Amino acid sequence: MKNLFCRAFLLLIIFSTGLIAEQNKPTDFTTIVKIVSEGTVAIAIDAPIKHSSPRVLGTGFVVADGLFAVTNYHVVSEDLDPTIVENYVVLSGEGSVVKKIKVEVLKIDPKHDLALLKLDSQLKPLELGNEELILPGSEIALTGFPIGAILGLYPATHRGYISAITPDAIPAMNSNQLTLTMMNRLKSVSLIYQLDATAYPGNSGSPMYDPKSGEVVGVINKVLVKDTKESALSSPTGISYAIPVKYVHKLISDATN
């Protein structure tokens, strides 16, 4: 009887260990990409009088309870024409099967080039990582719409790693290279991610995430440093950058509290 009990107990331990190992097993990257793609949206202007379909400006991603989205501020900084029906919208879906949702620019953070949008209907949100900076060498992925929606809405994913944590502005070589934007930014420097991954103009606002968990750790930006950090260079490198997610947390907190 004692031996039977011991065998049963041993089998229980083996079974439980197997369940725990299965639960802790890393999710396949293709599954992570699918999950992230469902929460990634194209940001566009919908003006039926001007365009037969919404004009895609960049990328964004759904956050919080699914009624908000984050993108770069420069993506939604264009003034809308008050004399016609013209709205900012997000496009969700793939190919020609796309859901169009009207949005309102709820809160902006021009310093970090971020904007929070309020959606008219709910979408599946992405999970945000914590506010700590991730270390250089950490693997990352990004998903977005680098060529807009010319052939339909098809999210593209790229992988790479954090190559450096760097200030978002650097001193110019001489005073002739200084601009007002650079001078203002040098007074209050923020740390951002420099990436060993390729991002294109349409990727502005794309989520940068942990490829193992899908947690968003940053927001791709193609304009912020182009007007500040790399304007000191005679030939900009085209290096990609991302804004740390801690500024997204603050943007959401400031808008909802």
Side-chain angles (χ1 to χ4, degrees):
M1 185 69 179
K2 183 178 180 181
N3 289 338
L4 183 63
F5 176 79
C6 289
R7 287 177 63 187
F9 184 68
L10 182 60
L11 286 171
L12 179 61
I13 291 176
I14 294 172
F15 180 72
S16 300
T17 303
L19 284 178
I20 292 172
E22 185 66 28
Q23 290 173 354
N24 293 334
K25 184 179 179 181
T27 305
D28 184 78
F29 184 56
T30 58
T31 302
I32 293 294
V33 171
K34 184 176 185 297
I35 293 170
V36 171
S37 295
E38 290 173 353
T40 301
V41 294
I43 311 296
I45 288 182
D46 186 30
I49 294 178
K50 289 182 178 180
H51 313 286
S52 58
S53 60
R55 177 167 59 92
V56 174
L57 306 170
T59 304
F61 56 95
V62 184
V63 296
D65 59 359
L67 289 172
F68 300 90
V70 170
T71 188
N72 288 155
Y73 168 57
H74 76 262
V75 172
V76 291
S77 61
E78 185 175 327
D79 291 331
L80 300 178
D81 188 343
T83 64
I84 62 172
V85 177
E86 189 172 40
N87 298 294
Y88 280 112
V89 296
V90 298
L91 306 176
S92 174
E94 187 171 327
S96 59
V97 183
V98 176
K99 185 177 183 181
K100 180 174 66 177
I101 299 174
K102 182 181 174 182
V103 301
E104 169 196 354
V105 180
L106 185 65
K107 186 80 175 178
I108 62 172
D109 176 5
K111 174 173 167 46
H112 301 106
D113 196 21
L114 295 173
L116 183 67
L117 313 178
K118 180 74 169 64
L119 280 61
D120 271 4
S121 61
Q122 198 170 34
L123 291 173
K124 187 176 180 179
L126 299 185
E127 186 175 349
L128 300 181
N130 63 44
E131 298 189 14
E132 293 182 9
L133 290 174
I134 59 176
L135 298 175
S138 300
E139 290 188 356
I140 54 90
L142 59 105
T143 296
F145 303 98
I147 59 170
I150 297 172
L151 302 176
L153 206 62
Y154 295 97
T157 297
H158 303 273
R159 290 189 72 162
Y161 57 85
I162 303 294
S163 57
I165 296 174
T166 178
D168 60 0
I170 55 175
M173 296 295 290
N174 58 65
S175 60
N176 293 332
Q177 294 175 320
L178 280 173
T179 65
L180 182 60
T181 303
M182 287 181 67
M183 291 174 66
N184 289 336
R185 191 166 298 282
L186 285 168
K187 294 177 183 177
S188 180
V189 172
S190 298
L191 294 177
I192 59 175
Y193 297 120
Q194 181 177 314
L195 311 179
D196 181 50
T198 303
Y200 300 94
N203 278 124
S204 288
S206 293
M208 182 185 79
Y209 54 94
D210 183 335
K212 297 182 180 68
S213 67
E215 288 186 343
V216 177
V217 295
V219 185
I220 297 297
N221 190 288
K222 294 296 292 181
V223 168
L224 183 67
V225 289
K226 192 174 291 184
D227 292 335
T228 55
K229 188 179 181 71
E230 293 199 2
S231 59
L233 305 175
S234 59
S235 300
T237 63
I239 294 172
S240 299
Y241 297 89
I243 309 303
V245 76
K246 70 176 183 177
Y247 299 113
V248 175
H249 281 290
K250 186 177 188 309
L251 185 67
I252 296 172
S253 177
D254 289 347
T256 56
N257 292 335

